[in-house]
Structures are given as structure tokens and as C-alpha cells.
Amino acid sequence: DAGVAQAVRIQYGGSVSPESVGDLMDMPDIDGALVGGASLISDSFGKIIQGASPGGAATITTTAPVPPVVTDPSTFHHEPLSTFAIPNLKPKGPRKGADVGTPHDSSRPFTKVSTLSSGAWWCAEGGWPSPSPRATTEIFYVLEGHACVTDADGGRNFMGPGDLVILPKGWSGRWDVLEDIHKIWFVADHPDVVDGTGNGDCNAIVKKYNDFTMEQLTNSGTSNDSSEASQTYLDNGYVGVGCKSYPPGSFEISKEVITNTQGIHVLEGTFFLTNEDGSARRCQAGDTVVLPKGWTGYWDVITPMKQLWVVA
């Protein structure tokens, strides 16, 4: 049937590049393209989109503005996972000092509230030394890819999709990206941490995806509802990191509850956050949320949810 054939959209599934996309889109029976590896490099992907546009005149902007420091405690900050898709990140160029492969990276900041910053990062395969001690604590969740961070004492810490990684202030060592990696990150700026010996533990902490199962969490509810459970992975007096689950329900948040800035990456479930002025957002798995110190509002959990949290 000629009418049906004319209505069927055909997506080209072969190799697509900035150089070939124009000729492919000029073919009368091709309506679009399924872009593979080239979509992982924002500059290349942007050129492909531009080349696929009529006349090749589309303007692609991948530069994200540096977010201002936010001090208003009356509203939360929310972005869906799509905001941090690899094509939306800003290319930073080759990694300096790389001694394995040719790694290059891209990033996009989200927000900075008090001493807690957040955003996303992607990096291609490769390795480099990181000898300078970190001046901040970084906490990140791996969306895709595999890597290994080696501590200064030689300990190796492997990570993959679904893992949580903490690089404490003072960490130094080595990065090796084994498969292009994409992550959501939080960075906390805080004073030095010391233990009884006068030194802080600066080794990396990796929590695997199966550490977040309900069997690994401890019941933290005021009732017998086992769906409210939590686990803390770091508490150094300045930064707290953990995982918590909530059952469906509604509750009000007072400023006495949010005593520090809180960052959240949603692992499971759906909920609504409502500011005191009535403005609200629907949040779901993959989203990133930041609650400023002193935030007040309402939290309505629609389906059982689980989150990774950072308090600083």
C-alpha cells in the first residue's frame, strides 16, 4: 500500500558522523538516524544534529552556565536525569597529565547551595595520576561505565553502574577509566577531618549497587513498616552520606528538620515536593534534588521510594 509505505518513518542505523549525516539526510527515503558512539561526544553529536537540520543551520548550544551560589532557603532545586544526558554536557578537552589512552571529559554543573555543589561528569577511557590531595569531599553515583580509583597506599577501588563512590577530602592517587564513565556528583567544602591519630582517613569508599537493597538497610521508621529503612556510609562531622527508603505517605518538613543543605539522588519511586509557597515538582528515579538548609514544605511519597543522600 503506497499510503502506508509513505507514512512509515525510516531511521538509518549505520555509522553516522558529522561528515556523513548531510548526505544521508538528503536521501528521499531516510527520515532520521540512530546515532551510536558519536552521541557520546557532545561536540560531535551537536554537529550531527546541525547537519541533520534543514540547510544544516541549526544552532546547538552545549555550554551550561556556572550556577550562582544559592542562599534562599524557601525553594528546593530539582533536575531530571535528562538534564545531565551526555549531549548536554560541556566538553572540557583532554585530561592533563594522562598517561594511558587519550581521555577527554565533559561536565555540567547543577547548583551550588552553601558549601554543597552538584552536577554531572562524563569521561572517555584512559588513566592519569592524581597526586594532589583533594581540597573537598566528592560523592558520586555512577550512571554508566566502569573505572578504578587507586588510593595513595595502593588500594584499588573498582566501580560500575549503580555504585556510590566517596572520595574524602585529602584523597590522592590515580584514576583509570576502563569504560567511558558518566556520573552524578556532589562536592562538599568543609574543614579538615582528623581522627585520634591526628590524621583523617582519606581512602576512597565504594558502595556497590547491591548495598542499597532493602536487606542491607536498617529499619529506621517509628512504626513496624520495614519499607522505611536507612544506612549511613560516611559521617565525619561535616559531611554525611547514606541511603534511605520511604513508604508511601505525606509529611510536612519544618526548618528544624533540614538543619544542613541536603543533596538527593533518587534511586526508586515517585514523590512530590512542595515549597511553602505552593509551587511543586514531581520527582522520580534518576532525578537530583537539593534542599537548602532551613527549607520548609511538604513531601508526598506516591510509590515506595529510595534515595542516596548527602548532608553538608
Side-chain angles (χ1 to χ4, degrees), residues 75-143:
T75 183
F76 62 83
H77 310 274
H78 164 269
E79 287 292 346
L81 184 59
S82 59
T83 296
F84 304 116
I86 295 169
N88 293 333
L89 308 186
K90 177 183 177 181
K92 298 169 63 179
R95 291 288 311 190
K96 294 182 179 179
D99 54 11
V100 174
T102 55
H104 53 94
D105 57 352
S106 303
S107 67
R108 176 167 182 163
F110 169 28
T111 189
K112 179 176 175 58
V113 181
S114 185
T115 59
L116 186 66
S117 305
S118 56
W121 182 73
W122 172 89
C123 187
E125 291 182 20
W128 60 91
S130 186
S132 299
R134 286 193 58 89
T136 56
T137 292
E138 181 182 5
I139 305 95
F140 61 86
Y141 178 75
V142 181
L143 298 171

Short mmCIF file of all heavy atoms in Angstrom, two decimals, residues 75-143:
data_model
loop_
_atom_site.label_atom_id
_atom_site.label_comp_id
_atom_site.label_asym_id
_atom_site.label_seq_id
_atom_site.Cartn_x
_atom_site.Cartn_y
_atom_site.Cartn_z
N THR A 75 13.08 27.57 48.61
CA THR A 75 12.75 26.71 47.48
C THR A 75 13.81 25.64 47.28
O THR A 75 15.00 25.87 47.48
CB THR A 75 12.61 27.55 46.19
OG1 THR A 75 12.20 26.69 45.11
CG2 THR A 75 13.91 28.23 45.82
N PHE A 76 13.36 24.46 46.89
CA PHE A 76 14.29 23.37 46.58
C PHE A 76 14.73 23.49 45.12
O PHE A 76 14.19 24.26 44.34
CB PHE A 76 13.63 22.01 46.84
CG PHE A 76 12.41 21.74 45.99
CD1 PHE A 76 12.53 21.24 44.70
CD2 PHE A 76 11.14 21.98 46.49
CE1 PHE A 76 11.42 21.00 43.91
CE2 PHE A 76 10.01 21.75 45.71
CZ PHE A 76 10.16 21.25 44.42
N HIS A 77 15.71 22.69 44.74
CA HIS A 77 16.26 22.70 43.39
C HIS A 77 16.17 21.29 42.82
O HIS A 77 16.55 20.33 43.50
CB HIS A 77 17.70 23.20 43.41
CG HIS A 77 17.85 24.49 44.15
ND1 HIS A 77 17.65 25.71 43.56
CD2 HIS A 77 18.13 24.74 45.45
CE1 HIS A 77 17.81 26.67 44.45
NE2 HIS A 77 18.10 26.10 45.62
N HIS A 78 15.67 21.17 41.60
CA HIS A 78 15.37 19.85 41.03
C HIS A 78 15.74 19.82 39.55
O HIS A 78 15.48 20.77 38.82
CB HIS A 78 13.88 19.54 41.20
CG HIS A 78 13.40 18.41 40.35
ND1 HIS A 78 12.88 18.59 39.08
CD2 HIS A 78 13.37 17.07 40.58
CE1 HIS A 78 12.54 17.42 38.57
NE2 HIS A 78 12.83 16.48 39.45
N GLU A 79 16.35 18.73 39.14
CA GLU A 79 16.60 18.49 37.72
C GLU A 79 16.37 17.01 37.42
O GLU A 79 16.80 16.14 38.18
CB GLU A 79 18.03 18.86 37.32
CG GLU A 79 18.31 20.36 37.26
CD GLU A 79 17.57 21.07 36.15
OE1 GLU A 79 17.04 20.39 35.24
OE2 GLU A 79 17.52 22.31 36.18
N PRO A 80 15.71 16.70 36.29
CA PRO A 80 15.55 15.30 35.88
C PRO A 80 16.86 14.78 35.29
O PRO A 80 17.75 15.55 34.94
CB PRO A 80 14.45 15.38 34.82
CG PRO A 80 14.63 16.75 34.22
CD PRO A 80 15.03 17.63 35.37
N LEU A 81 16.93 13.47 35.17
CA LEU A 81 18.14 12.86 34.64
C LEU A 81 18.47 13.35 33.24
O LEU A 81 19.63 13.48 32.86
CB LEU A 81 17.99 11.34 34.65
CG LEU A 81 19.19 10.50 34.21
CD1 LEU A 81 20.40 10.79 35.09
CD2 LEU A 81 18.86 9.02 34.24
N SER A 82 17.44 13.66 32.44
CA SER A 82 17.66 14.09 31.06
C SER A 82 18.50 15.35 30.97
O SER A 82 19.20 15.58 29.98
CB SER A 82 16.31 14.31 30.36
OG SER A 82 15.54 15.29 31.04
N THR A 83 18.45 16.20 32.00
CA THR A 83 19.26 17.41 32.01
C THR A 83 20.74 17.08 31.91
O THR A 83 21.53 17.82 31.31
CB THR A 83 19.01 18.22 33.30
OG1 THR A 83 17.64 18.65 33.31
CG2 THR A 83 19.92 19.44 33.39
N PHE A 84 21.13 15.94 32.47
CA PHE A 84 22.54 15.57 32.54
C PHE A 84 22.92 14.51 31.50
O PHE A 84 23.93 13.83 31.64
CB PHE A 84 22.87 15.08 33.95
CG PHE A 84 22.53 16.08 35.01
CD1 PHE A 84 21.57 15.82 35.97
CD2 PHE A 84 23.17 17.32 35.04
CE1 PHE A 84 21.26 16.77 36.94
CE2 PHE A 84 22.86 18.27 36.00
CZ PHE A 84 21.89 17.99 36.95
N ALA A 85 22.08 14.37 30.46
CA ALA A 85 22.44 13.47 29.36
C ALA A 85 23.76 13.93 28.75
O ALA A 85 24.07 15.13 28.74
CB ALA A 85 21.33 13.46 28.31
N ILE A 86 24.53 13.01 28.24
CA ILE A 86 25.87 13.31 27.76
C ILE A 86 25.89 14.43 26.71
O ILE A 86 26.76 15.31 26.77
CB ILE A 86 26.54 12.03 27.22
CG1 ILE A 86 26.75 11.04 28.37
CG2 ILE A 86 27.88 12.34 26.55
CD1 ILE A 86 27.16 9.65 27.93
N PRO A 87 24.94 14.49 25.76
CA PRO A 87 24.98 15.60 24.80
C PRO A 87 24.78 16.97 25.44
O PRO A 87 25.10 17.99 24.83
CB PRO A 87 23.83 15.27 23.84
CG PRO A 87 23.64 13.80 23.96
CD PRO A 87 23.93 13.48 25.39
N ASN A 88 24.24 17.01 26.66
CA ASN A 88 24.00 18.29 27.33
C ASN A 88 25.19 18.76 28.17
O ASN A 88 25.12 19.82 28.80
CB ASN A 88 22.77 18.19 28.23
CG ASN A 88 21.49 17.99 27.44
OD1 ASN A 88 21.41 18.40 26.29
ND2 ASN A 88 20.51 17.35 28.05
N LEU A 89 26.25 17.98 28.21
CA LEU A 89 27.42 18.36 28.99
C LEU A 89 28.38 19.18 28.14
O LEU A 89 28.43 19.04 26.92
CB LEU A 89 28.13 17.11 29.52
CG LEU A 89 27.26 16.09 30.27
CD1 LEU A 89 28.13 14.98 30.85
CD2 LEU A 89 26.44 16.75 31.36
N LYS A 90 29.16 20.03 28.79
CA LYS A 90 30.10 20.90 28.08
C LYS A 90 31.46 20.22 27.98
O LYS A 90 32.05 19.85 28.99
CB LYS A 90 30.25 22.22 28.83
CG LYS A 90 31.27 23.16 28.19
CD LYS A 90 31.44 24.42 29.01
CE LYS A 90 32.51 25.33 28.40
NZ LYS A 90 32.71 26.56 29.20
N PRO A 91 32.00 20.05 26.76
CA PRO A 91 33.33 19.44 26.61
C PRO A 91 34.41 20.28 27.30
O PRO A 91 34.41 21.51 27.20
CB PRO A 91 33.54 19.41 25.09
CG PRO A 91 32.17 19.51 24.51
CD PRO A 91 31.38 20.35 25.46
N LYS A 92 35.30 19.61 27.99
CA LYS A 92 36.40 20.29 28.67
C LYS A 92 37.74 20.03 27.99
O LYS A 92 38.73 20.67 28.34
CB LYS A 92 36.47 19.82 30.13
CG LYS A 92 35.21 20.15 30.93
CD LYS A 92 35.19 19.45 32.28
CE LYS A 92 36.34 19.89 33.17
NZ LYS A 92 36.28 19.22 34.49
N GLY A 93 37.78 19.06 27.07
CA GLY A 93 39.02 18.77 26.36
C GLY A 93 39.78 17.62 26.98
O GLY A 93 39.29 16.94 27.90
N PRO A 94 41.00 17.36 26.50
CA PRO A 94 41.81 16.25 27.00
C PRO A 94 42.17 16.43 28.47
O PRO A 94 42.36 17.54 28.96
CB PRO A 94 43.07 16.30 26.11
CG PRO A 94 42.65 17.09 24.92
CD PRO A 94 41.64 18.08 25.39
N ARG A 95 42.27 15.29 29.18
CA ARG A 95 42.70 15.32 30.57
C ARG A 95 44.21 15.61 30.63
O ARG A 95 45.00 14.94 29.97
CB ARG A 95 42.44 13.98 31.25
CG ARG A 95 40.99 13.63 31.48
CD ARG A 95 40.34 14.44 32.54
NE ARG A 95 41.08 14.51 33.78
CZ ARG A 95 40.60 15.02 34.91
NH1 ARG A 95 39.37 15.50 34.94
NH2 ARG A 95 41.33 15.06 36.00
N LYS A 96 44.59 16.59 31.42
CA LYS A 96 46.00 16.91 31.56
C LYS A 96 46.72 15.80 32.34
O LYS A 96 46.18 15.26 33.30
CB LYS A 96 46.17 18.25 32.28
CG LYS A 96 45.67 19.44 31.48
CD LYS A 96 45.90 20.74 32.24
CE LYS A 96 45.42 21.94 31.43
NZ LYS A 96 45.63 23.23 32.16
N GLY A 97 47.92 15.49 31.90
CA GLY A 97 48.73 14.51 32.61
C GLY A 97 48.37 13.07 32.35
O GLY A 97 48.92 12.17 33.00
N ALA A 98 47.48 12.81 31.39
CA ALA A 98 47.09 11.43 31.12
C ALA A 98 48.29 10.62 30.65
O ALA A 98 49.07 11.08 29.81
CB ALA A 98 45.98 11.40 30.07
N ASP A 99 48.41 9.40 31.18
CA ASP A 99 49.49 8.52 30.76
C ASP A 99 49.00 7.21 30.19
O ASP A 99 49.79 6.34 29.84
CB ASP A 99 50.46 8.26 31.93
CG ASP A 99 49.75 7.74 33.18
OD1 ASP A 99 48.56 7.38 33.08
OD2 ASP A 99 50.40 7.69 34.25
N VAL A 100 47.68 7.04 30.13
CA VAL A 100 47.07 5.88 29.49
C VAL A 100 45.94 6.36 28.60
O VAL A 100 45.04 7.08 29.05
CB VAL A 100 46.51 4.88 30.53
CG1 VAL A 100 45.75 3.75 29.83
CG2 VAL A 100 47.62 4.31 31.40
N GLY A 101 45.98 6.00 27.32
CA GLY A 101 44.94 6.39 26.40
C GLY A 101 44.88 7.88 26.16
O GLY A 101 45.84 8.62 26.44
N THR A 102 43.75 8.34 25.66
CA THR A 102 43.55 9.77 25.38
C THR A 102 42.22 10.21 26.01
O THR A 102 41.27 10.58 25.29
CB THR A 102 43.54 10.05 23.87
OG1 THR A 102 42.54 9.20 23.25
CG2 THR A 102 44.89 9.77 23.26
N PRO A 103 42.12 10.18 27.32
CA PRO A 103 40.85 10.55 27.95
C PRO A 103 40.51 12.03 27.76
O PRO A 103 41.39 12.89 27.80
CB PRO A 103 41.09 10.24 29.43
CG PRO A 103 42.58 10.38 29.60
CD PRO A 103 43.16 9.87 28.30
N HIS A 104 39.25 12.29 27.53
CA HIS A 104 38.74 13.66 27.47
C HIS A 104 37.41 13.66 28.19
O HIS A 104 36.72 12.63 28.25
CB HIS A 104 38.59 14.14 26.02
CG HIS A 104 37.79 13.23 25.15
ND1 HIS A 104 36.44 13.38 24.94
CD2 HIS A 104 38.15 12.12 24.46
CE1 HIS A 104 36.01 12.43 24.14
NE2 HIS A 104 37.02 11.64 23.83
N ASP A 105 37.02 14.78 28.76
CA ASP A 105 35.83 14.78 29.59
C ASP A 105 34.90 15.95 29.31
O ASP A 105 35.27 16.91 28.63
CB ASP A 105 36.19 14.72 31.08
CG ASP A 105 37.09 15.86 31.52
OD1 ASP A 105 37.56 16.63 30.66
OD2 ASP A 105 37.33 15.99 32.73
N SER A 106 33.68 15.83 29.83
CA SER A 106 32.64 16.85 29.71
C SER A 106 31.94 16.95 31.05
O SER A 106 31.89 15.99 31.81
CB SER A 106 31.63 16.47 28.62
OG SER A 106 32.26 16.28 27.36
N SER A 107 31.36 18.12 31.32
CA SER A 107 30.67 18.28 32.60
C SER A 107 29.54 19.28 32.49
O SER A 107 29.44 20.03 31.51
CB SER A 107 31.65 18.74 33.69
OG SER A 107 32.12 20.05 33.42
N ARG A 108 28.69 19.28 33.50
CA ARG A 108 27.63 20.29 33.60
C ARG A 108 27.32 20.50 35.08
O ARG A 108 26.90 19.57 35.77
CB ARG A 108 26.37 19.84 32.88
CG ARG A 108 25.22 20.84 33.06
CD ARG A 108 24.08 20.60 32.11
NE ARG A 108 23.04 21.60 32.27
CZ ARG A 108 22.09 21.84 31.38
NH1 ARG A 108 22.05 21.15 30.26
NH2 ARG A 108 21.17 22.76 31.61
N PRO A 109 27.52 21.72 35.58
CA PRO A 109 27.15 21.99 36.97
C PRO A 109 25.64 22.11 37.10
O PRO A 109 24.95 22.47 36.14
CB PRO A 109 27.84 23.32 37.26
CG PRO A 109 27.95 23.98 35.92
CD PRO A 109 28.14 22.87 34.92
N PHE A 110 25.12 21.77 38.27
CA PHE A 110 23.70 21.90 38.55
C PHE A 110 23.44 23.12 39.42
O PHE A 110 22.87 24.11 38.98
CB PHE A 110 23.19 20.61 39.21
CG PHE A 110 21.81 20.68 39.79
CD1 PHE A 110 20.84 21.54 39.28
CD2 PHE A 110 21.45 19.86 40.85
CE1 PHE A 110 19.56 21.60 39.82
CE2 PHE A 110 20.18 19.91 41.40
CZ PHE A 110 19.22 20.77 40.89
N THR A 111 23.87 23.07 40.66
CA THR A 111 23.66 24.20 41.56
C THR A 111 24.70 24.17 42.66
O THR A 111 25.36 23.15 42.90
CB THR A 111 22.24 24.16 42.17
OG1 THR A 111 21.99 25.37 42.87
CG2 THR A 111 22.09 22.99 43.13
N LYS A 112 24.87 25.30 43.31
CA LYS A 112 25.73 25.40 44.49
C LYS A 112 24.93 26.06 45.59
O LYS A 112 24.51 27.22 45.47
CB LYS A 112 27.00 26.20 44.20
CG LYS A 112 27.92 26.35 45.42
CD LYS A 112 29.21 27.06 45.04
CE LYS A 112 30.08 27.33 46.26
NZ LYS A 112 30.44 26.11 47.00
N VAL A 113 24.66 25.32 46.64
CA VAL A 113 23.88 25.81 47.77
C VAL A 113 24.77 25.73 49.00
O VAL A 113 25.16 24.63 49.41
CB VAL A 113 22.60 24.98 47.98
CG1 VAL A 113 21.81 25.53 49.16
CG2 VAL A 113 21.75 24.98 46.72
N SER A 114 25.13 26.87 49.54
CA SER A 114 26.04 26.95 50.69
C SER A 114 27.34 26.25 50.31
O SER A 114 27.98 26.62 49.34
CB SER A 114 25.38 26.32 51.91
OG SER A 114 26.17 26.47 53.06
N THR A 115 27.72 25.21 51.03
CA THR A 115 29.01 24.54 50.78
C THR A 115 28.85 23.28 49.93
O THR A 115 29.82 22.54 49.74
CB THR A 115 29.67 24.16 52.11
OG1 THR A 115 28.80 23.28 52.84
CG2 THR A 115 29.97 25.40 52.95
N LEU A 116 27.65 23.03 49.39
CA LEU A 116 27.40 21.80 48.62
C LEU A 116 27.14 22.15 47.16
O LEU A 116 26.20 22.87 46.84
CB LEU A 116 26.21 21.03 49.20
CG LEU A 116 25.95 19.66 48.58
CD1 LEU A 116 27.09 18.70 48.89
CD2 LEU A 116 24.62 19.09 49.08
N SER A 117 27.98 21.61 46.27
CA SER A 117 27.81 21.78 44.83
C SER A 117 27.37 20.46 44.23
O SER A 117 27.57 19.38 44.81
CB SER A 117 29.12 22.22 44.17
OG SER A 117 29.62 23.40 44.77
N SER A 118 26.77 20.52 43.02
CA SER A 118 26.33 19.29 42.37
C SER A 118 26.36 19.47 40.86
O SER A 118 26.41 20.59 40.35
CB SER A 118 24.92 18.92 42.83
OG SER A 118 24.02 19.98 42.60
N GLY A 119 26.36 18.33 40.15
CA GLY A 119 26.40 18.37 38.70
C GLY A 119 26.61 16.98 38.12
O GLY A 119 26.37 15.97 38.78
N ALA A 120 27.07 16.95 36.87
CA ALA A 120 27.30 15.68 36.18
C ALA A 120 28.62 15.73 35.43
O ALA A 120 29.10 16.82 35.08
CB ALA A 120 26.16 15.37 35.21
N TRP A 121 29.20 14.56 35.17
CA TRP A 121 30.51 14.46 34.52
C TRP A 121 30.55 13.20 33.68
O TRP A 121 29.96 12.17 34.04
CB TRP A 121 31.59 14.42 35.59
CG TRP A 121 33.03 14.35 35.14
CD1 TRP A 121 33.76 15.36 34.58
CD2 TRP A 121 33.93 13.25 35.26
NE1 TRP A 121 35.05 14.95 34.36
CE2 TRP A 121 35.19 13.64 34.77
CE3 TRP A 121 33.79 11.95 35.75
CZ2 TRP A 121 36.29 12.80 34.73
CZ3 TRP A 121 34.88 11.10 35.72
CH2 TRP A 121 36.12 11.52 35.21
N TRP A 122 31.23 13.30 32.54
CA TRP A 122 31.47 12.15 31.66
C TRP A 122 32.93 12.17 31.27
O TRP A 122 33.52 13.24 31.08
CB TRP A 122 30.60 12.24 30.41
CG TRP A 122 30.92 11.20 29.37
CD1 TRP A 122 30.40 9.95 29.27
CD2 TRP A 122 31.86 11.32 28.29
NE1 TRP A 122 30.95 9.28 28.20
CE2 TRP A 122 31.86 10.10 27.59
CE3 TRP A 122 32.71 12.35 27.87
CZ2 TRP A 122 32.67 9.89 26.48
CZ3 TRP A 122 33.52 12.12 26.76
CH2 TRP A 122 33.48 10.91 26.07
N CYS A 123 33.53 10.98 31.14
CA CYS A 123 34.93 10.91 30.70
C CYS A 123 35.15 9.66 29.86
O CYS A 123 34.62 8.58 30.16
CB CYS A 123 35.87 10.90 31.91
SG CYS A 123 37.63 11.02 31.47
N ALA A 124 35.95 9.82 28.81
CA ALA A 124 36.31 8.71 27.95
C ALA A 124 37.42 7.87 28.59
O ALA A 124 38.08 8.30 29.54
CB ALA A 124 36.77 9.23 26.59
N GLU A 125 37.61 6.67 28.05
CA GLU A 125 38.60 5.74 28.59
C GLU A 125 39.99 6.38 28.65
O GLU A 125 40.38 7.15 27.78
CB GLU A 125 38.67 4.49 27.71
CG GLU A 125 37.45 3.60 27.77
CD GLU A 125 37.63 2.37 26.90
OE1 GLU A 125 38.79 2.02 26.57
OE2 GLU A 125 36.61 1.74 26.54
N GLY A 126 40.73 6.00 29.70
CA GLY A 126 42.09 6.49 29.86
C GLY A 126 42.45 6.58 31.33
O GLY A 126 41.61 6.32 32.21
N GLY A 127 43.70 6.91 31.61
CA GLY A 127 44.13 6.99 33.00
C GLY A 127 45.08 8.15 33.24
O GLY A 127 45.76 8.62 32.31
N TRP A 128 45.13 8.60 34.49
CA TRP A 128 46.01 9.71 34.84
C TRP A 128 46.28 9.69 36.35
O TRP A 128 45.44 9.26 37.14
CB TRP A 128 45.38 11.05 34.45
CG TRP A 128 44.05 11.33 35.11
CD1 TRP A 128 43.82 11.98 36.29
CD2 TRP A 128 42.76 10.93 34.62
NE1 TRP A 128 42.48 12.03 36.56
CE2 TRP A 128 41.81 11.39 35.56
CE3 TRP A 128 42.32 10.24 33.48
CZ2 TRP A 128 40.45 11.17 35.40
CZ3 TRP A 128 40.96 10.03 33.34
CH2 TRP A 128 40.04 10.49 34.27
N PRO A 129 47.45 10.14 36.75
CA PRO A 129 47.74 10.27 38.18
C PRO A 129 47.01 11.46 38.77
O PRO A 129 46.76 12.45 38.08
CB PRO A 129 49.26 10.45 38.22
CG PRO A 129 49.58 11.08 36.90
CD PRO A 129 48.60 10.51 35.91
N SER A 130 46.66 11.36 40.04
CA SER A 130 46.01 12.46 40.75
C SER A 130 46.75 12.65 42.08
O SER A 130 46.26 12.28 43.15
CB SER A 130 44.53 12.12 40.99
OG SER A 130 43.85 13.21 41.55
N PRO A 131 47.96 13.22 42.02
CA PRO A 131 48.83 13.26 43.20
C PRO A 131 48.48 14.33 44.23
O PRO A 131 48.91 14.23 45.39
CB PRO A 131 50.20 13.53 42.59
CG PRO A 131 49.91 14.32 41.35
CD PRO A 131 48.62 13.77 40.82
N SER A 132 47.74 15.35 43.83
CA SER A 132 47.44 16.43 44.76
C SER A 132 46.25 16.05 45.65
O SER A 132 45.19 15.65 45.14
CB SER A 132 47.10 17.72 44.00
OG SER A 132 48.20 18.13 43.21
N PRO A 133 46.39 16.17 46.97
CA PRO A 133 45.27 15.82 47.87
C PRO A 133 44.04 16.66 47.57
O PRO A 133 44.14 17.87 47.31
CB PRO A 133 45.84 16.15 49.26
CG PRO A 133 47.33 16.06 49.10
CD PRO A 133 47.60 16.55 47.71
N ARG A 134 42.87 16.01 47.58
CA ARG A 134 41.63 16.73 47.33
C ARG A 134 41.40 17.78 48.40
O ARG A 134 41.64 17.56 49.58
CB ARG A 134 40.44 15.76 47.34
CG ARG A 134 40.33 14.85 46.12
CD ARG A 134 38.94 14.19 46.12
NE ARG A 134 37.89 15.22 46.12
CZ ARG A 134 37.38 15.76 45.02
NH1 ARG A 134 37.82 15.38 43.83
NH2 ARG A 134 36.45 16.68 45.10
N ALA A 135 40.87 18.94 47.97
CA ALA A 135 40.55 20.02 48.91
C ALA A 135 39.11 19.95 49.37
O ALA A 135 38.70 20.72 50.25
CB ALA A 135 40.81 21.37 48.25
N THR A 136 38.33 19.03 48.80
CA THR A 136 36.92 18.85 49.14
C THR A 136 36.60 17.36 49.17
O THR A 136 37.40 16.53 48.72
CB THR A 136 36.02 19.53 48.11
OG1 THR A 136 36.34 19.01 46.81
CG2 THR A 136 36.20 21.04 48.10
N THR A 137 35.41 17.02 49.67
CA THR A 137 34.92 15.64 49.60
C THR A 137 33.96 15.53 48.43
O THR A 137 33.03 16.33 48.30
CB THR A 137 34.22 15.24 50.91
OG1 THR A 137 35.19 15.17 51.96
CG2 THR A 137 33.55 13.88 50.76
N GLU A 138 34.19 14.54 47.57
CA GLU A 138 33.29 14.31 46.44
C GLU A 138 32.53 13.01 46.65
O GLU A 138 33.09 12.00 47.06
CB GLU A 138 34.05 14.23 45.11
CG GLU A 138 33.12 14.00 43.92
CD GLU A 138 33.82 13.88 42.59
OE1 GLU A 138 35.07 13.87 42.57
OE2 GLU A 138 33.11 13.78 41.56
N ILE A 139 31.24 13.07 46.36
CA ILE A 139 30.37 11.91 46.43
C ILE A 139 29.70 11.77 45.06
O ILE A 139 29.14 12.75 44.54
CB ILE A 139 29.27 12.08 47.51
CG1 ILE A 139 29.91 12.40 48.87
CG2 ILE A 139 28.39 10.85 47.58
CD1 ILE A 139 29.99 13.88 49.18
N PHE A 140 29.79 10.60 44.44
CA PHE A 140 29.14 10.49 43.14
C PHE A 140 28.50 9.13 42.94
O PHE A 140 28.87 8.14 43.56
CB PHE A 140 30.11 10.81 41.99
CG PHE A 140 31.32 9.94 41.87
CD1 PHE A 140 31.27 8.75 41.16
CD2 PHE A 140 32.53 10.33 42.43
CE1 PHE A 140 32.40 7.96 41.00
CE2 PHE A 140 33.67 9.54 42.29
CZ PHE A 140 33.61 8.35 41.57
N TYR A 141 27.50 9.13 42.04
CA TYR A 141 26.75 7.93 41.68
C TYR A 141 27.03 7.63 40.22
O TYR A 141 26.88 8.49 39.36
CB TYR A 141 25.25 8.17 41.89
CG TYR A 141 24.37 7.00 41.50
CD1 TYR A 141 24.28 5.87 42.31
CD2 TYR A 141 23.62 7.02 40.33
CE1 TYR A 141 23.47 4.80 41.97
CE2 TYR A 141 22.81 5.96 39.97
CZ TYR A 141 22.73 4.85 40.79
OH TYR A 141 21.93 3.78 40.44
N VAL A 142 27.46 6.40 39.94
CA VAL A 142 27.83 6.01 38.58
C VAL A 142 26.59 5.62 37.79
O VAL A 142 25.88 4.68 38.15
CB VAL A 142 28.84 4.85 38.60
CG1 VAL A 142 29.24 4.48 37.17
CG2 VAL A 142 30.08 5.21 39.42
N LEU A 143 26.35 6.34 36.72
CA LEU A 143 25.23 6.03 35.83
C LEU A 143 25.62 4.98 34.80
O LEU A 143 24.85 4.05 34.54
CB LEU A 143 24.78 7.31 35.10
CG LEU A 143 24.24 8.45 35.97
CD1 LEU A 143 24.05 9.70 35.12
CD2 LEU A 143 22.93 8.06 36.64
#
